[in-house]
Structures are given as C-alpha cells and as structure tokens.
Amino acid sequence: MADLDDIKDGKDFGAGTPPDTSRFFLKGAAHHDWGMKARLSAMFRPETGRTVMLAFDHGYFQGPTTGLERIDLTIAPLAPYTDVLMGTRGAIRTMIPPEVNKPVALRCSAGNSILTELSNELISVEIEDALRLGVSAMAAQVYIGAEYEHKSIGNVVKLIDSGLRYGIPTMAVTGVGADMVRDARYFGLATRIAAEIGAQVVKSYYVDEGFENIVLGCPVPIVIAGGKKLPEADALEMAYRAIDQGAAGVDMGRNVFQSEKPLAMLKALEAVVHHGATGAEAYQLFQDS
C-alpha cells in the first residue's frame, strides 16, 4: 500500500487518446456478459452512447419535496420522454404505470433522512425484488470522506456483487457531505473509487474546472447529477459543458420537475445529450415550447 505522505495528484490523463469502445459502445463495458450489456444498452442509446435519466428518488430521505408531492401527476406524464427512470421501488410500483416500458435505475439505499446523518445508509432492496421489478440498474450512494464512508462503500460493493450474479449493473452515486469541497480533486477521487470497486456506471457532479480529467480518470461512464434547482439556461449550459467534456449523460431531477415547463426542459436536455445542441440552442428550444 502506498504511503499516504507520498500520494501525488494525477497529471497525465491522456486527453488526446479516447477510451477504446471498438468492442462495445460504452467505455469499460467490453468484457461484461450479454445480460449486463443488454441492460446497459437499454439505458444508454447505442447510437449516441449517452442517456437522459429522470431522477425522482428524492422522497426516500426528503419526503414530499416540491414537484414530487404527487408523482403520479408530475413524473408519470414525463416518463415516455426520458431514457431512464430513477426512483424507489415504492414510487415505481405505486405511481409509474408498467406499460410505460422504460428502463429503471432503482434506488437501493435508504436508512437516513434530512433530520439525520445522510451518509448512514443501508441496502434497502434485495436482489430478488430488483429482478421482480425488471430493473436495468441498481443505485446507491457512496460517501467518500464522510462519517460513514466505510459503510457506504460496503453497501455499493454488496450491490455490485449481487448484480454481477444476475447481470444487473450498479450505479454508484457520489454523495457529498455538507463540509466537503466540491472540486475536481474530490470528485476525481470519489468516481475513481466507485469504478475501482466495480460499479458499472457512476453518477457525480459537474465542476467548472477539471471535469474533463474526472471523466478521463474514471474507466466507466459518468452521468452528471443536476443538483439544486438552477435557472433553466444555467442547467442546460451545465449539461452542455459536461457532455462536451466527456460525460455520458445526465441524471436530473429538480432541474426538470421543478421547472416551470418540465416537459420542455426534458426535451431540451435530450437535444443537448443526443443531438449536439449547445446550452443556448437548447434554451431557445425550451423557450419556444
């Protein structure tokens, strides 16, 4: 093991050499088996290698937050217009019609709330129930540097191991504590750890400086979280910059369902992710809708 006092930040990320995707369209996935690749192909469009995910799992620790008071009225109508739905099994079963027939990234961690320490989570779904739901991926937080870092890593490892037995990808979601610095060094560390323990996809945050190196240093696809609600123009510009710097998609929630025009926002994100629109072009689409 390396001495902690001799760790140096990476510098040569091979920016001019893209990852090899000649054997499968997603980086890091060439050696997975058929079932794993099939589920990844349902989540990420093979023609672009990217995805637009709609996250509405916030209620598992926030309760009925703005925009999610009635998922059947706010999220279900948007489901046909996204590539992937990210939610809890309770919300999926009770408020999303199965005939929507969209891939599901299932929230599989819980055990906390906005009233307690967020990093103290547990695995909340057995693999058998994920199989019953027919999900395309399982997701859990990994809290690097937080009080319960070790436990959160263990949770994700358990999902990865059970997922590998049945060909279900695991998406590690980088959680950030209130006292942590949101910079390229931190997210480079968190995303790389998530990939090294075996996550097939990582959800993380965009940063203004160094994001390209975060992507290059992570050997599996990164999708960006939307985070707090931003003005639509800012959220679309953030999505554009992330895609331009190598992100494989977005997994946004509040920036969609708290928008004044959620469907228009979702379509604008699709324009950025799948059709090469800039942030400004996408915002014009949003305004014209």
Side-chain angles (χ1 to χ4, degrees):
M1 183 176 178
D3 294 331
L4 293 179
D5 60 357
D6 192 38
I7 296 176
K8 299 178 180 178
D9 291 339
K11 295 180 179 179
D12 185 5
F13 289 90
T17 306
D20 180 15
T21 55
S22 61
R23 289 173 290 175
F24 190 67
F25 70 95
L26 285 179
K27 72 174 183 177
H31 304 298
H32 294 319
D33 61 19
W34 194 95
M36 185 76 73
K37 287 181 176 178
R39 288 183 172 90
L40 288 169
S41 298
M43 295 171 62
F44 295 85
R45 294 188 193 179
E47 62 268 27
T48 64
R50 297 171 185 158
T51 187
V52 176
M53 300 183 182
L54 177 58
F56 55 98
D57 56 332
H58 307 64
Y60 91 95
F61 72 102
Q62 292 183 4
T65 190
T66 302
L68 296 182
E69 299 92 341
R70 288 283 303 275
I71 288 174
D72 57 327
L73 300 180
T74 57
I75 300 300
L78 299 176
Y81 303 96
T82 187
D83 293 320
V84 180
L85 297 165
M86 182 179 179
T88 64
R89 60 179 171 180
I92 295 291
R93 279 198 168 103
T94 60
M95 291 176 280
I96 303 296
E99 57 268 28
V100 166
N101 198 29
K102 287 288 181 177
V104 169
L106 185 66
R107 163 62 64 177
C108 292
S109 60
N112 57 6
S113 78
I114 54 175
L115 304 178
T116 59
E117 169 56 44
L118 293 180
S119 66
N120 189 14
E121 291 196 331
L122 49 79
I123 294 299
S124 60
V125 180
E126 295 287 347
I127 186 68
E128 290 81 6
D129 205 27
L131 289 166
R132 275 190 291 270
L133 282 165
V135 306
S136 292
M138 300 180 293
Q141 303 292 124
V142 58
Y143 286 96
I144 303 303
E147 180 180 355
Y148 292 94
E149 172 191 271
H150 181 78
K151 185 178 180 182
S152 73
I153 292 174
N155 289 339
V156 175
V157 167
K158 289 176 183 176
L159 285 184
I160 291 166
D161 285 341
S162 61
L164 285 170
R165 287 198 296 272
Y166 296 99
I168 301 178
T170 296
M171 181 167 71
V173 183
T174 58
V176 183
D179 299 326
M180 297 179 197
V181 178
R182 297 186 179 216
D183 60 12
R185 192 171 190 273
Y186 174 78
F187 289 119
L189 173 68
T191 57
R192 182 60 173 262
I193 288 173
E196 294 267 359
I197 63 177
Q200 288 80 22
V201 181
V202 178
K203 177 178 176 178
S204 191
Y205 290 87
Y206 176 77
V207 293
D208 289 327
E209 294 185 12
F211 182 74
E212 184 177 10
N213 286 342
I214 296 173
V215 174
L216 289 169
C218 181
V220 300
I222 289 178
V223 297
I224 67 157
K228 66 181 181 180
K229 176 68 174 70
L230 301 171
E232 283 79 3
D234 294 346
L236 291 167
E237 181 64 22
M238 178 177 69
Y240 166 70
R241 292 182 181 181
I243 295 298
D244 185 58
Q245 294 175 45
V250 301
D251 186 10
M252 290 193 176
R254 285 170 287 181
N255 280 296
V256 175
F257 61 73
Q258 290 181 355
S259 170
E260 61 182 42
K261 296 189 290 186
L263 180 55
M265 188 62 179
L266 202 52
K267 290 182 176 180
L269 285 168
E270 179 186 16
V272 170
V273 173
H274 292 303
H275 303 296
T278 65
E281 291 167 343
Y283 184 59
Q284 188 62 55
L285 289 173
F286 171 81
Q287 289 183 306
D288 293 343
S289 296

